[in-house]
Structures are given as structure tokens and as C-alpha cells.
Amino acid sequence: MGCAKNEVDSEHMTARLVEAGYEVVDDPETADVVIVNTCTFIQAATEESIDAILEVAGYDSISSGSAHLVVAGCMPARYGDDLADELTEASCFVPCSKEDSIVTIVDDVLGIERDDYSSLDIPGYKLKRSGLSAYVKISDGCDRFCAYCTIPYIRGRYHSFPEDEITAEVRGLVEAGAREIVLIAQDTGRWGQDFAEPSTLANLMGNLAEQFPETWFRVMYIQPEGVTDGLIEVVATHDNICSYFDIPLQHSNREILRSMNRKGDGDEFLALIEKIRQRIPEATLRTTLIAGYPGESDEQFEELCEFIEDADLDYIGVFAYSREEGTRAYKLDGQIDEDEKLARTQRLRDLADDVCAPRIAGRLGQEMDVLVCGVEEDGQLFGRAMCQAPDVDGVTYVHDCQVGEIVRVVIDDVLLYEMEGSIVR
Ligand code: SF4
């Protein structure tokens, strides 16, 4: 369930289990163990995870006791023992911090004894994942404690993964056929600062791009402070690093940002956007914004609307503020009524479409590389250009090529966030 970071955790658990001799079955109702890797970032995600757990709990195999339900990930990390009291259908709970021991845990659930667990729990095990585009997590946790966010309480303090482990994972994925590596974390721009000998995301990106010159690299979730001159330069000087900046801004009003425990303001963000565009005119910029944060006045909301028009970004994700127990924002005065939050969210989304659609339309007639990713049900081939991140930005439809190729196309049609291109011969 949930975001790409959780997806990577699921893949890691799967790889460890397969390495240990377990088999992944297509139909969960025939499994001996069903693991639900949960998300609880916001209320809606928690509800979706509970629905998934209850659906699995309803399988004959689970209710009869012939198979086991294991609940993993963010829900056990956030709710601890309270969850065990509520979800008696589950055989066990695996918080994020224990996921590396998934083999031992599943063995225990099934009563399997092994002589030696040590070889299964070492870091740097070989991943058996494949796919043209692969997410790689470069750190976990977060130290920023944004007032609305549960992640630091669920995932713990920020810790970067060592460069040699990241490189080994990338190598394994490239050897298995990956053409694009997407680096993710809660706070990618901070990578390396917690090492005894600090490093930077710019160093990591540069080293990876040079070691794997045929592979596209993309980084997501760079907080504004993480967009350093060094990072802009490394993106500008490597053809295989996507000129793509995903910078969650969340708001533009200074007071709201301070209440969120975040830095910056609209003017600083506009200056940062300008700096990126001056160095890399073709750069694609994405952000996320929160509508209806506690205390957001009509004037502050209007300021955010103006910011959207001024910033002229390529992609904008808008989320209604979700009031989460245990966060500082939960206790703030001025909580905004749900209908008003939804109305503000819709207004920002409409504004975002008004600003972003013309930018996408501006790509008409441009030549660009497209990684051909797959075939739709109707037989149409689709891929993504460097300006389109997986899962969030739409796709480019192509013809006369093969899945897995990177082809040069000229964009000859656009429809809102989708593009269509013809191969350049
Ligand atoms: S940067 Fe803020 S919003 Fe993002 S994970 Fe950390 S605390 Fe949450």
C-alpha cells in the first residue's frame, strides 16, 4: 500500500523471502502467508490499509487458520501494541524497523526451523527484481518534523544508506535490465550529510551517472534546501540525469510555512525556480501543495493561488490537509472545515491545470528521447520522456518501436498531461 518508498520495502521483503526459498503466488487466497505492507501517512491511507487487511482476513484460508496474515510497515510502526489489540486476525506485526528480519519472522509464523539465519539477514543481498524503471531508496526516516506529518514518528530519524550499497543495488537492477533508476527517500537532498565523512546528493548522482552511462537517473522529493548549486550543476552536466526537479513546497505564505515548521517563502521559492531555469532552461519542475492547513486565511490562500500563477511549474500535486493525531498541527486552532478544504483543493487543482497544461502543450514540435515502457490494453505502445516521472506525470504514446528501447521522437500531439510522438528517422 502507499507510496513508492513502501513499494521498495515490499520488493526488498519479497527478495529476501525468495532468496530464502519462499515462492510468490499470484492468488493470495492460495498462499500460506499473506503480508499486507501498510501505509498510514494520512487518514485515507490508513483506511485503505485497514480495508486491505480486512479483505485478507476474510479469506477462507486465513479465517480457518490454515494460512497466516502478517501486517507489516507503517501501521505497526505508528500504532504499536494498540494495533495488535484491534486486529486479532493477524498472526504477527512487522514494523518498518523489523522488515529486514522478515524471513525469520515468517519462518516463526510457519514453525520452520533453519540452522543458520545469518546469511539471510546480511545487507547487500542480491535483488532479483527487474523492470525497465526501478525505484531505489537512498535513505529512510526524516528529521524535519513538519508539523502536519507523521513520517518522523513512523520511520524514525534520518539515516542515509551507504553509497556502496546503493551502487550495488543499482548495478543489480541495471544488469537485470533497468534503463531508468529513480532515487527516492523522504528527504533525498539531505543524503550523505549524516555520514562521519559527509557527502552530498550531487556527488552520489554524479558518481552513479558516470558509472552507468547508458542508464537514466532521476531523483524525487528534494526539499527546497536540498536543491544546491552543486546539484543543479551535476544535473546540467550529465546527459543521463533527467533535468527534472521534484521539490515539495507545500505552501508559499511565510506564516503558514513557519506554522508547518518549514523554511522559505514564495519569493525565495520563485528565486530558486528562476535559478534552476537560468542554468537549465529545459528543466521540468514539479511540486506538491497542501490546501486548507489550520489557520490558512482567505488572504493566505489567495497568496498561494497567485504563487501558482507566478511560478509557472510543469506539474503540481495538490492535497487537502489531513488532520493526523500525534502531530503538532493536530492541536492547532483554526482547523478548516472539510467542505472548505475540498473547495480550496479543487480550486488549486484547477489553477494547476490552467498553468501546467500550456507548458505541456509547449512541448509540441520538440524532439526528445522516450523510454518505451509497455503496451496498453488496446495495443498502444507508451513510454516516458525525461520530463515525465513514473506514476505521476502521464506518458508519451509512440509507434513503430519495441518495449525497452530508448527512441528519439518528435512530439506531434498533446492532450492535457499525455503526449504523442513520432520516431525521428
Ligand atoms: S520533510 Fe516534512 S513532510 Fe517530508 S517526510 Fe519529512 S517531516 Fe514529513
Side-chain angles (χ1 to χ4, degrees):
M1 315 297 295
C3 66
K5 287 152 283 199
N6 226 28
E7 199 180 300
V8 172
D9 293 345
S10 298
E11 287 170 347
H12 280 216
M13 284 193 278
T14 306
R16 284 180 189 276
L17 288 163
V18 170
E19 193 109 312
Y22 285 98
E23 183 191 346
V24 179
V25 293
D26 291 334
D27 178 2
E29 296 198 50
T30 65
D32 296 308
V33 178
V34 181
I35 303 171
V36 181
N37 192 20
T38 57
C39 172
T40 180
F41 178 52
I42 54 172
Q43 197 60 34
T46 307
E47 283 163 14
E48 236 177 90
S49 290
I50 290 173
D51 286 350
I53 291 167
L54 295 179
E55 186 188 331
V56 172
Y59 293 168
D60 287 345
S61 57
I62 303 286
S63 54
S64 68
S66 63
H68 298 272
L69 164 61
V70 172
V71 177
C74 294
M75 278 182 71
R78 183 171 178 188
Y79 297 111
D81 291 344
D82 291 349
L83 195 65
D85 294 342
E86 293 294 323
L87 290 174
T88 50
E89 300 89 342
S91 297
C92 79
F93 297 87
V94 187
C96 314
S97 58
K98 299 267 171 58
E99 286 176 355
D100 284 356
S101 304
I102 190 69
V103 171
T104 317
I105 292 166
V106 173
D107 281 357
D108 283 349
V109 163
L110 293 174
I112 292 171
E113 287 186 16
R114 290 176 203 257
D115 292 337
D116 179 16
Y117 286 109
S118 58
S119 66
L120 303 177
D121 288 330
I122 50 167
Y125 60 94
K126 281 210 175 56
L127 282 173
K128 292 194 167 77
R129 289 187 280 147
S130 61
L132 292 173
S133 182
Y135 290 108
V136 170
K137 232 163 100 167
I138 61 172
S139 67
D140 207 354
C142 187
D143 286 349
R144 291 192 188 264
F145 289 93
C146 297
Y148 52 83
C149 181
T150 53
I151 293 290
Y153 309 102
I154 297 171
R155 292 273 164 177
R157 304 310 294 255
Y158 188 87
H159 51 285
S160 305
F161 299 157
E163 182 165 349
D164 56 355
E165 281 182 22
I166 296 170
T167 307
E169 182 167 353
V170 169
R171 178 168 293 112
L173 290 163
V174 170
E175 285 171 359
R179 309 285 324 256
E180 177 188 39
I181 300 291
V182 185
L183 303 182
I184 53 171
Q186 272 80 24
D187 186 359
T188 44
R190 195 154 182 194
W191 182 87
Q193 290 177 19
D194 53 332
F195 291 151
E197 285 180 29
S199 186
T200 62
L201 178 63
N203 285 341
L204 176 67
M205 298 286 292
N207 291 343
L208 288 172
E210 279 154 33
Q211 285 181 69
F212 305 97
E214 304 302 321
T215 307
W216 286 7
F217 287 90
R218 183 190 301 276
V219 60
M220 304 295 283
Y221 316 116
I222 321 168
Q223 297 297 327
E225 303 90 321
V227 187
T228 60
D229 291 354
L231 183 69
I232 297 172
E233 204 49 37
V234 90
V235 173
T237 52
H238 290 81
D239 288 344
N240 59 331
I241 299 181
C242 301
S243 301
Y244 186 99
F245 293 83
D246 172 40
I247 312 171
L249 299 175
Q250 313 302 14
H251 212 283
S252 62
N253 175 266
R254 195 176 181 83
E255 281 168 37
I256 293 285
L257 284 162
R258 292 305 167 277
S259 173
M260 288 177 167
N261 195 31
R262 292 180 64 87
K263 295 184 177 147
D265 60 26
D267 288 342
E268 287 179 30
F269 298 156
L270 289 175
L272 177 64
I273 292 165
E274 178 61 21
K275 179 156 74 167
I276 296 170
R277 290 219 165 109
Q278 277 210 344
R279 181 65 184 92
I280 312 174
E282 75 283 7
T284 303
L285 279 91
R286 159 175 271 281
T287 197
T288 46
L289 301 170
I290 294 175
Y293 186 78
E296 183 189 57
S297 66
D298 289 347
E299 292 73 26
Q300 289 166 330
F301 177 69
E302 290 305 324
E303 189 180 316
L304 181 55
C305 294
E306 272 175 43
F307 174 80
I308 289 183
E309 287 172 353
D310 295 343
D312 207 17
L313 298 158
D314 298 273
Y315 299 100
I316 301 173
V318 182
F319 300 92
Y321 165 72
S322 177
R323 189 180 185 193
E324 295 300 317
E325 265 183 86
T327 62
R328 275 186 276 172
Y330 185 85
K331 299 193 191 114
L332 287 177
D333 291 336
Q335 300 285 334
I336 291 174
D337 145 295
E338 285 303 315
D339 288 345
E340 177 62 22
K341 277 196 282 188
L342 291 179
R344 291 185 188 186
T345 303
Q346 193 54 50
R347 171 133 176 247
L348 292 184
R349 286 184 179 154
D350 292 344
L351 260 177
D353 286 344
D354 290 348
V355 168
C356 301
R359 287 194 62 83
I360 314 273
R363 298 180 191 151
L364 262 177
Q366 290 181 12
E367 275 190 23
M368 55 186 76
D369 290 335
V370 170
L371 168 60
V372 187
C373 301
V375 186
E376 300 274 27
E377 275 179 11
D378 61 1
Q380 174 80 68
L381 278 166
F382 68 92
R384 281 181 298 98
M386 282 190 166
C387 56
Q388 294 172 312
D391 302 324
V392 284
D393 292 340
V395 297
T396 302
Y397 293 100
V398 285
H399 314 268
D400 308 323
C401 48
Q402 302 288 325
V403 173
E405 283 184 306
I406 293 178
V407 292
R408 189 86 183 150
V409 306
V410 59
I411 301 301
D412 44 28
D413 199 7
V414 292
L415 183 60
L416 198 54
Y417 292 101
E418 316 292 358
M419 307 194 292
E420 185 163 356
S422 307
I423 306 272
V424 178
R425 302 281 175 200

